[in-house]
Amino acid sequence: MASWAVLEQQRVWISPRAVSFTVVCDACAQIAAAEGYGASTVHGTLPLDAQRGSIECPRGHHLRVERDGR
Ligand SMILES: [Zn+2]
């Protein structure tokens, strides 16, 4: 019932010193796999002093970004 909402809350980890990064959106990866084409990567940026943030993929999925390590 609420599983779709859970699916939409993705979390991705980036390396401690990453300012710009490219991650895979799982939801898009599933769509791309089902349709046989399409991109699933998302490009984002996060300031070095930020521990977390959020980005949106081209299809509108929300991804929480968390900085790995400390
Ligand atoms: Zn997506």
Side-chain angles (χ1 to χ4, degrees):
M1 282 155 259
S3 57
W4 179 242
V6 173
L7 261 180
E8 296 240 47
Q9 277 289 335
Q10 297 184 67
R11 192 193 292 182
V12 295
W13 297 86
I14 62 173
S15 58
R17 303 181 71 87
V19 178
S20 90
F21 50 89
T22 301
V23 296
V24 172
C25 173
D26 280 341
C28 282
Q30 288 178 20
I31 294 173
E35 293 181 348
Y37 69 96
S40 56
T41 53
V42 196
H43 185 72
T45 59
L46 189 70
L48 251 192
D49 57 355
Q51 275 302 312
R52 58 182 58 85
S54 65
I55 56 174
E56 213 170 80
C57 82
R59 283 192 175 92
H61 303 121
H62 220 71
L63 285 81
R64 298 171 67 90
V65 181
E66 306 233 17
R67 195 176 289 285
D68 203 0
R70 50 183 72 197

